[in-house]
């Protein structure tokens, strides 16, 4: 009877170890069984408790152990041993996405660098403008179409007079366009079938008339500007372009730096204790699902783009007056559309692939750094040094006060 009681108590201790994890529900304990994945501990404390209970069960069982007991004990020992070790959680597939992102940002960063260089040269050329007469009258400005405005835009930075011509041309074009709309709206108001529509057209005509006056006022103000004022406006124009290019370059450079830092941090933080993996298994499941579907979408778009065959060329048969015939292959203009579609699909696939990888790496790196390292000693050390510095500063301040 003694042997049977000891064996029963040992089994009870082993069952208690089996149900230590917080993933085990009360209903599982009452039923006396649970899913095996729920047995894994979720903290160091639970791991220690499981080992302690197993040690006690072994001691209680003594030499009176059956095969089932030994098998269950070995299985639980494997679980706690796995839980105490660190395991690699980072993935090469995600790193590949980050490296591809670095390559893409590097390419665009070089383009942005060239744009910044060119913009700086333009700013320098405007700063070195030679002073000239900038007198231009209203009649001298011929602005009959948007094409005239575009023509002036392309050559506006040659000198101050050309830039002023560009500004005045733009103002006069907007003024004349607004006056044309005034006439159009008033004509439509005369032929409107309802009072509501007539009222709307008359209001639109009035608004356009106000805009025309504003542009004429702007024209008159700019026409009075001399060389220095025009140069100032031109520098604001090209300076704004330079700032936009510098901003774009800063953005791509920032992403490159971020990814270069992220990749090693992702690897360093990607060694989690087994109990941490179990504790946050829902997050791991979500991240795995996100990666799976993100990469599937990327493969779908990328693969579809590569797999699309160009539309075949047109086969044209010619018949001549002498009865002879010939067959020739002519390019199908629709192939251009297909090529554009292929490129678009491939680009979408690459973007999804990179975004998925970087997004998951960012989350896993942040959570990994928080969970897989003990920051408390470092934080306490920093706080201690800060306290000492504060006390020292207060002491110095007290000494100075006594001297006064």
């Amino acid at each position: 009877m003694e042997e049977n009681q000891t064996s029963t108590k040992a089994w009870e201790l082993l069952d208690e170890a089996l149900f230590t994890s917080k993933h085990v529900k009360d209903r599982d304990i009452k039923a006396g069984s649970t899913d095996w994945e729920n047995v894994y501990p979720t903290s160091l404390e639970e791991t220690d408790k499981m080992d302690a209970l197993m040690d006690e069960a072994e001691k209680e069982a003594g030499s009176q152990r059956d095969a089932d007991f030994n098998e269950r004990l070995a299985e639980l020992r494997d679980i706690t041993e796995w839980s105490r070790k660190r395991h690699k959680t980072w993935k090469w597939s995600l790193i590949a996405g980050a490296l591809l992102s670095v390559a893409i940002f590097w390419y665009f960063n070089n383009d942005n660098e060239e744009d910044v260089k060119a913009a700086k040269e333009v700013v320098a050329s405007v700063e070195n403008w030679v002073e000239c007469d900038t007198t231009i009258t209203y009649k001298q400005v011929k602005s009959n179409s948007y094409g005239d405005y575009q023509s002036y835009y392309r050559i506006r930075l040659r000198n101050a007079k050309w830039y002023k011509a560009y500004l005045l041309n733009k103002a006069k074009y907007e003024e004349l366009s607004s006056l044309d709309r005034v006439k159009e709206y008033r004509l439509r108001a005369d032929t409107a079938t309802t009072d509501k529509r007539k009222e709307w057209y008359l209001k639109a005509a009035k608004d356009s008339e106000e805009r025309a006056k504003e542009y004429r006022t702007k024209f008159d103000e700019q026409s009075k500007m001399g060389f220095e004022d025009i140069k100032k406006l031109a520098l604001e124009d090209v300076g704004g372009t330079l700032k936009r290019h510098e901003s774009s370059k800063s953005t791509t450079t920032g992403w490159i730096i971020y990814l270069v830092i992220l990749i090693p941090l992702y690897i360093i933080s990607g060694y989690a204790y087994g109990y941490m993996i179990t504790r946050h298994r829902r997050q791991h499941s979500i991240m795995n699902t996100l990666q799976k579907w993100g990469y599937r979408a990327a493969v779908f778009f990328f693969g579809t783009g590569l797999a699309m065959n160009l539309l075949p060329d047109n086969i044209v048969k010619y018949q001549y007056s002498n009865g002879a015939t010939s067959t020739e292959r002519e390019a199908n203009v629709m192939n251009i559309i297909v090529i554009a579609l292929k490129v678009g699909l491939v680009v979408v696939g690459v973007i999804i692939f990179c975004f998925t990888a970087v997004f998951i790496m960012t989350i896993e790196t942040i959570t990994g750094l928080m969970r897989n390292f003990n920051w408390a000693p470092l934080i306490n050390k920093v706080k201690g040094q800060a306290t000492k510095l504060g006390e020292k500063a207060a002491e110095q301040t007290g000494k100075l006060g006594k001297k006064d």
Side-chain angles (χ1 to χ4, degrees), residues 40 65 107 140 159 192 236 256 264 280 287 314 348 350 374:
Y40 285 76
R65 305 182 193 179
Y107 172 81
Q140 288 177 315
N159 56 44
E236 290 176 0
I256 291 172
H280 302 285
M287 293 297 103
N314 293 326
V348 170
V350 171
N374 184 11

Side-chain angles (χ1 to χ4, degrees), residues 108 329-330 389:
F108 284 109
R329 185 184 297 272
E330 294 184 355
L389 289 174

Side-chain angles (χ1 to χ4, degrees), residues 187-201:
L187 180 62
R188 292 189 176 186
D190 292 338
T191 58
T193 55
T194 63
D195 291 339
K196 187 176 181 180
R197 292 187 67 82
K198 182 175 182 178
E199 182 181 354
W200 188 91
Y201 284 129

